Amino acid sequence: NDEGKKRDAVDKALAAYRSFSDRNPSDPRGYLERYMLLMRRKQFDRAAEELLKVVSVYPKYPDVHYLKGVLYVAQGNDTAAVEEFNTELKNNPGSIKALIQLGNVYLNNNQVGMAAPVFARAMQAAPQAAEPKHLAGYANCLQKNYQAGVALLRSAAQIDSGNALIYKRLGSCALDMGDRAMASDAFRKYIQMEPDAPDRAAFERFL
């Protein structure tokens, strides 16, 4: 609670969680809390050590390989991240977080063909969630499957109407498919939600 207010707050929290783990070495909670704090400090090597302690006790503990993947993404090691997310999915096939992160790594490396089926899996696993639909729709748009992409992005917007990025991507997809009216409406919503967006001028000309 004192993080950002007292200089030694995080150090005290780390020490408290260490004390907890010393008394309860088979309880992963202390290690995971330390991992979260160390990640916020960008102390990646120390954060990785905490996850190794969890793996040494529970090799298939839920989310542990997902968290390792997140750590590798933060370090810019996408190859290792992909391996960890796939390990998490092998242990926990229904992990929406791991599917989304895996798909995003593929997207960030311009591997849309690899990302699209991953997002489709996430959408099947969580049919009522907005983010899988959003990302699956975006991937379809990048693959020029515009009709499917627009349908998925619209569906995502109905669930998560406060997500400006969905409208931005919907507008771009509509523009690519030649629907200027749909694009204008989507870009207008994006600008209304993000009036200070640095790319505002690029979309205002379509209104």
Side-chain angles (χ1 to χ4, degrees), residues 8-203:
D8 62 347
V10 174
D11 289 328
K12 285 184 176 179
L14 288 169
Y17 287 126
R18 169 65 67 201
S19 179
F20 173 84
S21 294
D22 288 344
R23 290 170 172 78
N24 304 276
S26 63
D27 190 325
R29 290 177 295 173
Y31 308 127
L32 294 174
E33 291 289 352
R34 286 175 61 82
Y35 161 85
M36 297 296 184
L37 288 171
L38 292 166
M39 284 293 288
R40 293 211 292 271
R41 283 186 159 185
K42 302 187 184 306
Q43 295 180 350
F44 300 126
D45 289 343
R46 291 181 63 192
E49 290 173 4
E50 298 301 326
L51 291 182
L52 285 174
K53 293 169 186 173
V54 178
V55 173
S56 68
V57 181
Y58 301 107
K60 296 184 178 182
Y61 191 80
D63 285 347
V64 70
H65 288 284
Y66 161 78
L67 294 174
K68 285 183 72 178
V70 169
L71 186 150
Y72 284 128
V73 168
Q75 291 180 306
N77 189 343
D78 288 345
T79 300
V82 166
E83 184 177 339
E84 291 299 335
F85 292 138
N86 277 318
T87 299
E88 181 65 38
L89 290 167
K90 192 178 297 182
N91 296 337
N92 183 14
S95 174
I96 308 302
K97 294 186 293 185
L99 286 166
I100 287 175
Q101 285 280 6
L102 176 60
N104 279 332
V105 171
Y106 287 139
L107 268 190
N108 292 337
N109 286 278
N110 297 315
Q111 296 175 295
V112 183
M114 298 286 286
V118 175
F119 293 139
R121 280 177 61 190
M123 193 167 55
Q124 291 169 358
Q128 304 304 317
E131 191 67 359
K133 291 183 189 298
H134 168 195
L135 293 169
Y138 180 53
N140 270 277
C141 290
L142 292 175
Q143 292 181 306
K144 302 186 184 212
N145 300 323
Y146 299 125
Q147 295 288 350
V150 163
L152 288 168
L153 287 169
R154 280 181 155 175
S155 180
Q158 289 179 341
I159 300 169
D160 186 10
S161 59
N163 189 333
L165 182 57
I166 295 176
Y167 292 106
K168 176 180 173 178
R169 287 174 169 172
L170 175 59
S172 296
C173 193
L175 200 63
D176 287 342
M177 69 185 289
D179 193 329
R180 180 73 177 252
M182 186 193 303
S184 177
D185 183 60
F187 288 144
R188 183 175 291 105
K189 289 178 180 175
Y190 168 64
I191 291 170
Q192 286 172 348
M193 297 170 70
E194 295 287 343
D196 298 323
D199 55 2
R200 173 175 177 153
F203 302 110

